[in-house]
């Protein structure tokens, strides 16, 4: 991208944006790619069979795509309590019902499997004695954070409520509020069925999904909605479309009419900030990281006299640069010791994931490349592509400097935060090989000006 050039992004629809970004939420839940989009297909068909009017189907549409938007917020806590990989934990727990033997088997097979015997025993003891309270805490954190984020994205309160009630059960034995029957949001009741259908259909097939839903009718699920699902499941094309590689385009084509809700630059900023919050919520060590990288990147861009439009575009890229970290386990992100080769490979894959998710959005092609290249180096020794020199855009170079600076000056599990002077000294040593000299000098000048104002 040339300096002071910024592509127009307002041609994107809200449905394309949200359905594409839902793939990031699939990662943080340990689900296979497209889980959110498949749930949207299943849930919309249930809603139609149940006779929901168009305005309710519109709210259901976005509830289904965004149902997991708060899930990153409890990842670190799961690792801490269960001494487990949060991604596999979240993936596997969706196959567990309320049966005590199933719950016990799950806890025993997912708690501290790589920990020492004494650590595992202490963890199991805590879970056995405080299991109900722990589960309630984890679900409440996730649901409340999810509701907060969708409100920030300008969705109506009905969508926020749909996310708040996602883990409530028809019989009143769900969490966190133990709501029952029609006291639970209709959107939540449908989303929970859709989620279970997709999990069992993906892992075991159509018959297993049908069997599981029938068994949970009257317990987890509203019996009338189970009947609606069974009717939908007999419709021509229901299962074949669900398995189609073009399902996302189908879902986009089914998007509700956005009456008076035009996509604009401010909305794109809000969505970028919301998903940055999702990413940064995953680990206590990354809290606020994306916001700070966006701030430092903007300071550099301003010092370099880039246009306001380019700076705005750059801030979005900075906010979304770490989207792929949602697919990295907190056992790796929060590890205090040295990473194994396998763990390091997982970390090195996150820029590729960021790029893959953002590239699903037609108007985000340039942004996806910038975000995906932020760990590349001028000398070609970066990752994931190993590109070098002029192959790395100016915008990427700016984000790279901002990202490294924030990483050095923030607390990390393996070291304390560095003073600004020490961080700048390290960056200065990397000029020409890892980082761009112009970008480094712009940051140094901007920080110096900030320090003089503060003094």
């Amino acid at each position: 991208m040339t300096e002071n050039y910024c592509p127009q992004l307002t041609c994107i629809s809200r449905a394309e944006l949200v359905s594409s970004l839902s793939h990031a939420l699939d990662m943080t839940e340990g689900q296979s790619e497209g889980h959110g989009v498949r749930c949207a297909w299943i849930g919309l068909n249930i809603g139609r069979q149940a006779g929901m009017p168009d305005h309710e189907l519109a709210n259901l549409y976005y509830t289904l795509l965004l149902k997991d938007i708060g899930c990153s917020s409890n990842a670190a806590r799961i690792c801490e309590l269960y001494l487990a990989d949060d991604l596999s934990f979240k993936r596997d727990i969706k196959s567990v019902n309320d049966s005590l033997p199933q719950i016990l088997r799950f806890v025993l097979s997912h708690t501290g499997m790589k920990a020492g015997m004494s650590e595992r025993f202490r963890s199991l003891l805590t879970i056995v004695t405080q299991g109900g309270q722990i589960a309630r805490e984890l679900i409440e954190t996730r649901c409340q954070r999810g509701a907060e984020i969708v409100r920030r994205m300008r969705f109506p309160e009905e969508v926020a409520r749909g996310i708040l009630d996602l883990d409530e059960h028809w019989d009143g034995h769900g969490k966190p509020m133990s709501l029952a029957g029609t006291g639970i949001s209709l959107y939540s009741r449908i989303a929970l069925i859709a989620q279970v259908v997709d999990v069992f259909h993906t892992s075991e097939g159509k018959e297993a999904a049908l069997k599981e839903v029938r068994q949970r009718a009257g317990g987890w699920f509203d019996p009338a909605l189970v009947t609606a699902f069974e009717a939908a499941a007999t419709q021509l094309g229901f299962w074949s479309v669900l398995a189609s590689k073009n399902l996302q385009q189908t879902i986009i084509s089914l998007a509700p009419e956005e009456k008076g809700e035009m996509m604009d630059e401010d909305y794109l900023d809000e969505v970028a900030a919301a998903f940055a919050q999702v990413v940064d919520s995953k680990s206590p060590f990354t809290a606020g990281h994306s916001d700070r990288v966006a701030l430092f990147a903007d300071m550099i861009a301003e010092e370099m006299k880039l246009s306001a439009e380019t700076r705005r575009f750059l801030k979005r890229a900075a906010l979304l640069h770490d989207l792929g970290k949602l697919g990295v386990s907190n056992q790796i992100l929060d590890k205090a010791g040295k990473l194994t080769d396998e763990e390091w490979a997982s970390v090195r894959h996150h820029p590729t994931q960021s790029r893959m998710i953002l590239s699903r959005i037609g108007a985000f092609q340039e942004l996806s490349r910038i975000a995906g290249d932020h760990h590349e180096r001028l000398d070609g020794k970066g990752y994931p592509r190993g590109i070098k020199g002029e192959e790395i855009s100016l915008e990427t170079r700016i984000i790279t400097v901002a990202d490294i600076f924030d990483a050095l000056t923030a607390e990390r599990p393996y070291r304390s935060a560095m003073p600004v002077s020490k961080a700048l000294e390290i960056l200065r040593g990397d000029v020409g090989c890892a980082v761009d000299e112009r970008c480094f000098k712009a940051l140094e000048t901007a920080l110096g000006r900030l320090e003089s104002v503060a003094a």
Side-chain angles (χ1 to χ4, degrees):
M1 181 186 294
T2 58
E3 294 181 28
N4 292 326
Y5 168 77
C6 179
Q8 292 299 309
L9 301 180
T10 49
C11 57
I12 184 176
S13 72
R14 183 160 71 162
E16 181 189 357
L17 186 66
V18 173
S19 63
S20 298
L21 291 174
S22 75
H23 289 267
L25 308 181
D26 300 339
M27 291 194 304
T28 197
E29 276 295 273
Q31 293 298 313
S32 60
E33 183 180 355
H35 168 71
V37 172
R38 292 191 299 272
C39 285
W41 171 254
I42 297 164
L44 286 171
N45 277 277
I46 295 173
R48 284 174 171 160
Q49 286 292 330
M52 292 174 68
D54 287 347
H55 73 278
E56 289 187 355
L57 286 171
N59 288 334
L60 176 63
Y61 182 93
Y62 288 110
T63 300
L64 291 161
L65 287 172
L66 294 169
K67 69 182 181 65
D68 293 325
I69 199 164
C71 288
S72 63
S73 60
N74 61 20
R77 185 67 172 144
I78 286 172
C79 286
E80 177 189 359
L81 288 167
Y82 292 88
L83 305 177
D85 167 20
D86 56 298
L87 301 180
S88 61
F89 182 98
K90 289 181 174 187
R91 179 194 66 225
D92 296 343
I93 201 168
K94 282 187 167 58
S95 300
V96 177
N97 59 30
D98 285 336
S99 138
L100 184 59
Q102 267 206 36
I103 293 170
L104 288 174
R105 279 198 299 272
F106 176 83
V107 168
L108 288 169
S109 63
H110 286 75
T111 303
M113 298 306 291
K114 295 182 180 179
M117 187 62 72
S118 59
E119 286 180 286
R120 186 170 190 240
F121 178 77
R122 283 195 298 272
S123 184
L124 284 168
L125 184 62
T126 299
I127 292 163
V128 169
T129 57
Q130 302 176 36
Q133 180 183 337
I134 288 170
R136 192 174 302 278
E137 170 204 326
L138 291 172
I139 291 170
E140 186 170 28
T141 298
R142 184 191 79 198
C143 293
Q144 289 184 350
R145 179 61 60 85
E148 289 168 8
I149 294 172
V150 296
R151 290 184 187 114
R152 182 173 187 175
M153 293 171 68
R154 303 185 194 171
F155 286 103
E157 190 59 30
E158 290 86 349
V159 176
R161 173 71 191 282
I163 290 168
L164 274 171
D165 292 357
L166 181 63
D167 284 281
E168 302 291 354
H169 297 168
W170 181 256
D171 62 6
H173 293 155
K175 295 177 179 63
M177 301 299 293
S178 300
L179 302 178
T182 56
I184 304 167
S185 161
L186 174 61
Y187 309 129
S188 307
R189 283 179 266 152
I190 293 174
L192 186 59
I193 295 175
Q195 175 172 281
V196 170
V197 170
D198 183 59
V199 167
F200 279 88
H201 176 251
T202 300
S203 61
E204 300 179 38
K206 177 175 74 173
E207 294 306 320
L210 287 163
K211 178 182 177 183
E212 197 66 31
V213 169
R214 288 164 181 153
Q215 286 180 342
R216 301 192 195 195
W220 282 38
F221 302 147
D222 178 343
L225 293 176
V226 170
T227 300
F229 164 66
E230 290 180 307
T234 65
Q235 297 297 305
L236 183 66
F238 176 84
W239 297 104
S240 60
V241 173
L242 181 62
S244 168
K245 292 181 180 179
N246 299 318
L247 180 59
Q248 182 171 338
Q249 292 308 312
T250 300
I251 292 301
I252 292 172
S253 73
L254 295 174
E257 216 178 298
E258 309 288 355
K259 296 177 181 176
E261 188 68 43
M262 298 297 291
M263 291 287 292
D264 57 25
E265 299 294 326
D266 289 341
Y267 185 74
L268 289 170
D269 291 341
E270 288 288 351
V271 171
F275 271 81
Q277 187 179 349
V278 174
V279 175
D280 291 352
S281 295
K282 188 164 168 58
S283 167
F285 297 102
T286 59
H289 170 69
S290 299
D291 283 330
R292 292 191 300 271
V293 172
L295 172 63
F296 295 137
D298 189 51
M299 289 168 61
I300 295 169
E302 182 180 27
E303 194 63 38
M304 297 178 76
K305 296 184 170 37
L306 300 186
S307 70
E309 291 79 11
T310 300
R311 286 170 57 191
R312 190 173 201 174
F313 173 81
L314 185 63
K315 285 173 70 175
R316 285 184 198 141
L319 286 167
L320 297 170
H321 77 285
D322 267 345
L323 202 58
K325 277 192 176 175
L326 292 173
V328 182
S329 169
N330 276 67
Q331 284 194 315
I332 298 172
L333 293 178
D334 300 341
K335 186 175 180 178
K338 184 179 178 180
L339 299 183
T340 66
D341 290 346
E342 184 180 0
E343 290 168 340
W344 181 233
S346 178
V347 171
R348 288 169 65 96
H349 188 56
H350 86 267
T352 301
Q353 293 286 66
S354 296
R355 184 171 188 155
M356 286 172 59
I357 293 164
L358 293 171
S359 66
R360 289 178 172 276
I361 304 166
F364 274 22
Q365 296 306 304
E366 186 67 20
L367 188 148
S368 72
R369 183 181 60 77
I370 292 167
D373 288 347
H374 74 276
H375 279 293
E376 302 293 351
R377 293 167 50 107
L378 295 178
D379 60 10
K381 296 180 180 179
Y383 63 87
R385 298 198 293 148
I387 59 176
K388 62 182 179 180
E390 293 305 313
E391 296 175 280
I392 304 172
S393 71
L394 174 63
E395 289 76 17
T396 300
R397 297 179 192 208
I398 291 172
I399 291 176
T400 297
V401 171
D403 184 50
I404 295 173
F405 178 74
D406 184 67
L408 293 172
T409 54
E411 292 284 338
R412 285 294 184 263
Y414 45 86
R415 60 155 174 80
S416 299
M418 291 182 189
V420 169
S421 58
K422 177 66 174 175
L424 288 175
E425 181 184 335
I426 290 173
L427 271 169
R428 190 178 295 109
D430 280 337
V431 165
C433 55
V435 301
D436 182 272
E437 183 176 15
R438 292 175 300 164
C439 299
F440 167 72
K441 286 185 175 179
L443 175 65
E444 188 176 38
T445 302
L447 290 171
R449 185 178 290 115
L450 192 64
E451 186 178 7
S452 66
V453 171

